Structure formats: structure tokens, C-alpha cells
């Protein structure tokens, strides 16, 4: 069976840390796959907040996650502190990809590579809309 591969960026524009809580542990005793997606959701919120945005208000537009991909690299356990490095790339007319590199803060072992695709959305009109120019310009200055 073919495995997915995420071409991770070399540079990241934001870093945050999130501890693994007991609710994040599955029956096998390690970080669960659904918790990885929840952790990157929290990292995305923090990333947007660092730019004074929310998922419902980026220059007057919201976002919707259109896809996600996770490649697991190593286990993580209760009370591990996960460092999440975040950056944005692969812009198109309606959205972009957000990349997340999850690592154990203490050991620097990579836990997961994650990519989520987002599109911009006008919740009042109920339709996908173009990326706000101010957002793209602002983010590109930081990424470059």
C-alpha cells in the first residue's frame, strides 16, 4: 500500500507548545490519532491569534478546513510537551495549506508531520471566497 508523504517546509514562522493530557491517550497508552488533529487545531488557533485573527474573521472572512494529512513519526505519551512549528504555503485563489511539525520538546524527536488545507469562506453568503489580499501579503512577508 502506498504511503502518503508530506513535503515539509524548511522554515516555520510560528512556534507553540502543548502538553499531552490524559484525554489525548488511547488504549495503547500513547497519543491518539484524533488528538493529533485536535492539537494542530489548537496550534492553528494560536497561530491565527498571533496575527489578531480568528477562524471566523480573517480580514472579514472565515476559513474552512478542506483536507488534512498526518504522517506519524514517533509515539508521544502523557505529560510530554509537544512543540508545534507552524507555517503557511501553497497559496491558490481560494486558500492555502498550513504545515505543522510536531516534536517532543525535551528530546527533539519528531512526532508527526501534518498538513491541513483551508479555503476562505463567507459564512453569510454560504460560499467559498478569494483569499484576502491583506492576509496573503502579511503572511508572505513573514514566511519569506
Amino acid at each position: 500500500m502506498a504511503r502518503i508523504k508530506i513535503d515539509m517546509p524548511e522554515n516555520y514562522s510560528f512556534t507553540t507548545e502543548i502538553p499531552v493530557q490524559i484525554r489525548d491517550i488511547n488504549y495503547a497508552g500513547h497519543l491518539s490519532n484524533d488528538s493529533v488533529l485536535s492539537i494542530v487545531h489548537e496550534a492553528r488557533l494560536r497561530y491565527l491569534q498571533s496575527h489578531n485573527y480568528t477562524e471566523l474573521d480573517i480580514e472579514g472572512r472565515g476559513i474552512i478546513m478542506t483536507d488534512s494529512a498526518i504522517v506519524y513519526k514517533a509515539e508521544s505519551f502523557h505529560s510530554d510537551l509537544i512543540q508545534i512549528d507552524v507555517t503557511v504555503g501553497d497559496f491558490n485563489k481560494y486558500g492555502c495549506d498550513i504545515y505543522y511539525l510536531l516534536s517532543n520538546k525535551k528530546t527533539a524527536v519528531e512526532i508527526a508531520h501534518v498538513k491541513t488545507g483551508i479555503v476562505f469562506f463567507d459564512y453569510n453568503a454560504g460560499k467559498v471566497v478569494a483569499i484576502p489580499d491583506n492576509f496573503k501579503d502579511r503572511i508572505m512577508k513573514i514566511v519569506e
Side-chain angles (χ1 to χ4, degrees):
M1 179 165 95
R3 300 284 180 220
I4 64 169
K5 182 178 184 305
I6 302 171
D7 293 324
M8 298 297 287
E10 290 185 24
N11 300 308
Y12 295 85
S13 58
F14 177 80
T15 298
T16 191
E17 298 170 359
I18 297 175
V20 177
Q21 298 181 31
I22 195 64
R23 69 174 179 238
D24 299 322
I25 301 302
N26 65 16
Y27 62 89
H30 58 236
L31 181 64
S32 65
N33 59 350
D34 58 320
S35 288
V36 171
L37 203 52
S38 292
I39 287 169
V40 300
H41 185 191
E42 178 66 28
R44 181 173 58 253
L45 290 176
R46 292 179 185 186
Y47 171 76
L48 292 172
Q49 286 172 346
S50 75
H51 295 287
N52 297 313
Y53 294 136
T54 70
E55 289 186 324
L56 294 176
D57 186 9
I58 299 175
E59 307 292 337
R61 297 177 180 120
I63 59 170
I64 293 179
M65 187 170 65
T66 57
D67 57 52
S68 61
I70 303 171
V71 176
Y72 301 96
K73 298 293 192 176
E75 292 178 299
S76 185
F77 302 96
H78 178 252
S79 77
D80 284 349
L81 186 58
I82 298 178
Q83 176 176 311
I84 305 103
D85 298 311
V86 181
T87 197
V88 178
D90 299 329
F91 287 91
N92 62 52
K93 182 178 179 180
Y94 300 106
C96 57
D97 290 331
I98 304 176
Y99 295 88
Y100 316 81
L101 174 61
L102 281 65
S103 303
N104 183 303
K105 175 72 173 175
K106 183 178 179 182
T107 66
V109 171
E110 290 185 1
I111 297 165
H113 294 173
V114 183
K115 180 186 78 67
T116 59
I118 62 165
V119 295
F120 285 82
F121 197 77
D122 181 331
Y123 280 91
N124 291 326
K127 65 179 186 175
V128 173
V129 293
I131 294 177
D133 290 333
N134 290 344
F135 172 79
K136 187 174 179 181
D137 293 344
R138 182 184 215 183
I139 297 305
M140 290 305 291
K141 286 179 188 173
I142 295 167
V143 172
E144 292 173 343

